[in-house]
Amino acid sequence: MTARGAAGRCPPTTWLSRLLLLVCLLVSRSITEEVSERCSHMIGNGHLQFLQQLIDSQMETSCQIAFEFVDQEQLKDPVCYLKKAFLLVQDIMEDTMRFKDNTPNANVIVTLQELSLRLSSCFTKDYEEQDKACVRTFHETPLQLLEKIKNVFNETKNLLKKDWNVFSKNCNKSFEKCSSQGHDRQQEGPSDPQLPGFVFRLLVPSIILVLLAVGGLLFYRQRWRSHREPQTVDSPMERPEGSPLTQDEDRQVELPV
């Protein structure tokens, strides 16, 4: 073979590399389409019905539980809000929402935990330093907590249907704003959002007790006065000086014998 002929032919490695590149592109495209299809339809209406069953089975009570959740007043971006809320919902289902084993409610929680694990592939993770940013402690009833969780799953479902890759958004800047706001609040002084309700619950019974005590004193005083008035009328020692009866008695004493 001449040098010219050798130069006119491509080495076998060139064709092999092109073939491998083509295969990689086809595989990556198929994987992307598979992930897109999976994320878009991962949350079904059945999952939302499970959550509604949990809500309907809860007893109405004024007892409150403490849990950490996203402060929506600080985090306005809906995508970043759901990214943060999704991670917190996983912790809540693991640590807070506990039911007796092998009951319908416990089985629903297990199903939702498995769903959240599969959904993790649809979310990109931000810096771990921002884990507590935009988060505060809530004191609410179990019913209110379940409604929050259902809202998170419902909104996540709607956004994933519109764009399966929506939660790849980088939210570090939004989380940093929350961190700076939290630092400013600490400098201004701690504020407890539950304090007004606590003061109200403490103040109302105190006012009722004071009113009952005053009412009891007034009632006792009225009965004491009503009990004393007949004795005052019947007692001759209480007659005022100069009354007709007193003057007659004085005349009888002054009469000569």
Side-chain angles (χ1 to χ4, degrees):
M1 181 180 296
T2 61
R4 182 178 179 181
R9 296 178 60 186
C10 294
T13 55
T14 304
W15 291 103
L16 182 61
S17 61
R18 290 179 180 178
L19 180 62
L20 289 175
L21 179 61
L22 179 61
V23 171
C24 290
L25 289 175
L26 292 175
V27 170
S28 63
R29 182 177 179 181
S30 63
I31 293 175
T32 302
E33 291 177 353
E34 181 181 355
V35 173
S36 171
E37 184 73 16
R38 188 174 70 248
C39 290
S40 299
H41 300 88
M42 193 172 294
I43 303 177
N45 292 329
H47 298 106
L48 300 180
Q49 291 176 2
F50 285 154
L51 281 165
Q52 188 60 46
Q53 290 174 7
L54 278 179
I55 294 173
D56 294 339
S57 65
Q58 294 302 304
M59 180 178 65
E60 292 186 358
T61 176
S62 59
C63 296
Q64 297 181 340
I65 57 177
F67 60 93
E68 289 188 342
F69 207 73
V70 190
D71 187 357
Q72 200 165 10
E73 294 181 358
Q74 295 186 59
L75 193 56
K76 304 292 185 181
D77 190 300
V79 174
C80 295
Y81 171 80
L82 289 175
K83 284 190 71 174
K84 177 68 68 172
F86 175 75
L87 296 175
L88 294 172
V89 165
Q90 290 180 325
D91 295 336
I92 290 172
M93 289 191 297
E94 180 70 25
D95 302 328
T96 306
M97 296 175 57
R98 295 180 179 178
F99 298 94
K100 186 177 179 180
D101 294 340
N102 299 322
T103 59
N105 287 348
N107 295 334
V108 168
I109 294 298
V110 171
T111 301
L112 294 175
Q113 287 176 327
E114 294 173 351
L115 172 64
S116 64
L117 288 176
R118 294 195 302 271
L119 278 170
S120 298
S121 61
C122 306
F123 290 78
T124 58
K125 191 172 183 180
D126 298 294
Y127 293 128
E128 294 183 357
E129 287 79 2
Q130 305 293 340
D131 281 352
K132 295 298 181 182
C134 313
V135 176
R136 71 177 179 89
T137 301
F138 286 77
H139 295 83
E140 295 183 353
T141 63
L143 189 65
Q144 293 171 322
L145 171 58
L146 287 170
E147 288 174 348
K148 281 181 181 293
I149 293 176
K150 182 186 176 183
N151 181 65
V152 169
F153 276 98
N154 189 37
E155 294 299 324
T156 302
K157 173 177 176 288
N158 294 335
L159 288 182
L160 285 174
K161 276 192 171 182
K162 293 178 182 179
D163 180 9
W164 71 271
N165 201 31
V166 64
F167 293 112
S168 62
K169 179 179 180 178
N170 190 326
C171 294
N172 287 313
K173 290 184 178 180
S174 299
F175 297 158
E176 288 175 0
K177 290 181 181 179
C178 290
S179 299
S180 61
Q181 292 175 6
H183 182 67
D184 294 340
R185 289 183 178 181
Q186 289 180 358
Q187 291 181 343
E188 294 174 1
S191 60
D192 189 355
Q194 302 297 327
L195 186 59
F198 173 76
V199 172
F200 178 78
R201 291 193 297 270
L202 183 64
L203 195 59
V204 169
S206 301
I207 294 175
I208 293 175
L209 289 175
V210 171
L211 292 176
L212 288 174
V214 172
L217 288 175
L218 292 175
F219 177 75
Y220 176 77
R221 184 179 178 184
Q222 184 66 26
R223 287 200 60 182
W224 181 79
R225 292 182 62 183
S226 63
H227 181 69
R228 291 282 297 174
E229 284 177 357
Q231 294 181 359
T232 304
V233 174
D234 296 337
S235 177
M237 301 301 293
E238 300 290 335
R239 292 172 185 166
E241 186 177 355
S243 64
L245 292 175
T246 306
Q247 292 175 0
D248 291 342
E249 291 176 356
D250 294 340
R251 289 195 190 101
Q252 291 176 3
V253 172
E254 293 176 357
L255 287 176
V257 180

